[in-house]
Amino acid sequence: MSPRSALKFDLFAEASRQHKRDEVGDPLQVIARHIDFAELARLVDALIERGDGRKGGRPAYPIEVMVRILVLKRLYNLSDEQMEYQLLDRASYQRFCLLQDAMNVPDRNTIWRFGERLGVDGATALFQGVDAQLHRHGYIARGGQAIDATLVPAPRQRLDRQEREALAEGRTPDWSEAERRQKDVDATHTKKHGKSYFGYKLSVSVDLKHGFIRRICTGTASEHDGHHFDEVLDMHNTGRAVHADKAYASRQRQQLLKVLGLVDAMQRRARPGKPLSECQQRRNQRIAKKRAKVEHVFAGLRHLGGKFVRTIGQTRATVGMTMMAACYNMKRLASLLERGVDAFFKPQSGACKAQVRPRTANA
């Protein structure tokens, strides 16, 4: 007599597993419920030229499906090869990308080509489209802003002495076409806290009320943090205070903020022979508590499969970093809406900072 087994086999096993997944909670379905991907697809469709099929060839996949795939790829920082495999293997990925009943899924080359066609303009349109959805739900930029920059590593380049000398002189080394495609001559080196980095830099402005990324700008790793201060300064934030760390402090920026009617909340830094006073140190500590909001955002970006890009060249890196910021805002918006956080609640002294509306039976 064979021993009893807990395994049960049934024709409706997949439906049973899907029901169990719904009970446990699928984080991707939280995003799918609260983000209007059809609207994002319309924005992208207006920028990408598509054939009408009169010349033949394989029909294209729907734009919404491809946008969802790129979002999923960025949420977990997957390569095109891994994205294809996961779409074939994981039921939650298939469901999120509207492929649960499809006999075929986009392969790695299709995913890569769509990302190339998307480009910087398409990624920017997605970021702005998500921002429009933030405003639609009442999450306008409030409470002032925190500006900072973070390093985004890229694949390191292995160059010999002759190649480095040629690049330093502005010449292209003796590379074949295949070698040139694998060499990132746009990314730069820098050091931070004694550690070497190679790659790019993402500058952001984060609203202090809701913690969303409102403006972004990209550059290379060796650029100074304050290089893109003007580009990421958000003039639509209802709060007037601009928080930043010591790297941004300068007399020119202080005068700029004064002219614009903004409040200077940049930390002060000591200079040779002129240490900070106790009053300035206390002021820096007060600012640090508020500008920590931007550090929370950078931590959130690291949780999106890692804060790095897999691509070669600044254009593709810009697409990757822009998608990174858009996906962070998507994930945070979906989380706030799922929990019913009231965007307009103003906390009283000693009260919690976000009021959660009671969930109804139909919510």
Side-chain angles (χ1 to χ4, degrees):
M1 180 178 180
S2 59
R4 297 178 62 190
S5 173
L7 289 176
K8 295 181 180 179
F9 298 92
D10 193 278
L11 293 175
F12 302 99
E14 177 57 33
S16 177
R17 285 195 295 268
Q18 182 60 60
H19 178 69
K20 185 65 176 178
R21 283 194 294 266
D22 291 337
E23 287 183 342
V24 173
D26 184 353
L28 292 179
Q29 287 307 301
V30 174
I31 297 176
R33 277 196 299 270
H34 298 291
I35 302 300
D36 187 353
F37 282 99
E39 175 61 27
L40 297 179
R42 283 192 288 272
L43 295 175
V44 173
D45 196 23
L47 296 173
I48 295 182
E49 294 184 3
R50 308 181 71 192
D52 55 11
R54 289 182 295 181
K55 295 183 179 180
R58 187 177 66 179
Y61 286 95
I63 289 289
E64 183 177 350
V65 170
M66 298 307 300
V67 168
R68 285 172 178 255
I69 289 175
L70 289 191
V71 168
L72 191 57
K73 176 184 170 184
R74 187 63 254 180
L75 282 172
Y76 296 99
N77 203 0
L78 300 174
S79 64
D80 296 324
E81 291 79 5
Q82 269 298 308
M83 192 68 250
E84 178 186 0
Y85 175 78
Q86 296 297 341
L87 286 174
L88 291 168
D89 183 66
R90 300 189 66 167
S92 61
Y93 283 27
Q94 297 166 9
R95 188 182 182 192
F96 179 79
C97 296
L98 309 179
L99 296 169
Q100 66 269 33
D101 296 322
M103 293 183 61
N104 59 329
V105 302
D107 60 22
R108 65 196 69 182
N109 293 327
T110 301
I111 297 171
W112 180 83
R113 283 194 296 267
F114 185 81
E116 290 292 295
R117 292 169 60 200
L118 184 72
V120 176
D121 291 340
T124 302
L126 285 177
F127 178 78
Q128 294 173 349
V130 175
D131 189 66
Q133 294 189 31
L134 298 181
H135 285 75
R136 188 185 311 158
H137 290 288
Y139 292 98
I140 61 175
R142 302 171 60 193
Q145 59 189 298
I147 293 176
D148 204 354
T150 184
L151 291 167
V152 179
R156 286 186 174 272
Q157 304 298 294
R158 308 301 178 184
L159 305 177
D160 58 31
R161 184 168 59 85
Q162 290 81 4
E163 291 172 334
R164 288 195 296 270
E165 290 176 353
L167 291 174
E169 296 172 0
R171 297 183 291 105
T172 301
D174 188 16
W175 290 330
S176 66
E177 185 62 28
E179 289 177 322
R180 175 64 184 84
R181 287 196 297 266
Q182 298 300 318
K183 298 296 183 181
D184 192 340
V185 297
D186 298 329
T188 56
H189 292 269
T190 190
K191 277 195 172 184
K192 184 176 182 180
H193 304 309
K195 186 177 179 181
S196 297
Y197 292 89
F198 177 80
Y200 299 90
K201 186 169 286 186
L202 173 64
S203 298
V204 302
S205 172
V206 176
D207 74 280
L208 298 183
K209 173 63 177 177
H210 304 298
F212 289 107
I213 301 174
R214 299 297 179 169
R215 294 180 66 89
I216 63 171
C217 192
T218 62
T220 61
S222 61
E223 292 179 345
H224 190 271
D225 284 3
H227 186 71
H228 298 290
F229 179 85
D230 296 349
E231 288 91 332
V232 299
L233 186 63
D234 185 11
M235 296 301 299
H236 299 289
N237 196 303
T238 60
R240 311 312 296 168
V242 179
H243 297 74
D245 62 22
K246 301 174 185 178
Y248 291 86
S250 71
R251 185 165 299 178
Q252 181 181 3
R253 290 197 182 95
Q254 294 171 19
Q255 294 174 349
L256 171 66
L257 295 178
K258 185 177 181 180
V259 170
L260 295 175
L262 301 176
V263 177
D264 172 18
M266 295 183 291
Q267 292 179 315
R268 299 293 184 256
R269 57 184 172 183
R271 301 186 180 278
K274 297 182 65 177
L276 294 178
S277 65
E278 292 185 6
C279 179
Q280 290 175 319
Q281 292 177 9
R282 289 194 299 270
R283 179 180 181 275
N284 282 356
Q285 291 175 356
R286 290 194 302 270
I287 293 174
K289 292 179 181 179
K290 288 198 172 184
R291 66 163 297 276
K293 180 76 74 172
V294 74
E295 300 298 343
H296 299 165
V297 170
F298 292 154
L301 293 178
R302 284 194 295 271
H303 293 162
L304 299 182
K307 191 179 60 176
F308 59 92
V309 293
R310 301 175 180 272
T311 55
I312 301 295
Q314 187 164 7
T315 299
R316 290 171 177 164
T318 298
V319 173
M321 289 185 280
T322 305
M323 288 296 297
M324 192 185 301
C327 290
Y328 172 84
N329 282 351
M330 285 185 198
K331 187 175 180 181
R332 181 161 180 80
L333 174 61
S335 175
L336 294 180
L337 293 177
E338 183 73 8
R339 292 184 285 128
V341 176
D342 192 337
F344 299 100
F345 175 69
K346 183 176 181 181
Q348 304 296 326
S349 58
C352 62
K353 292 189 176 180
Q355 184 184 41
V356 180
R357 297 191 299 268
R359 300 291 299 279
T360 63
N362 296 325

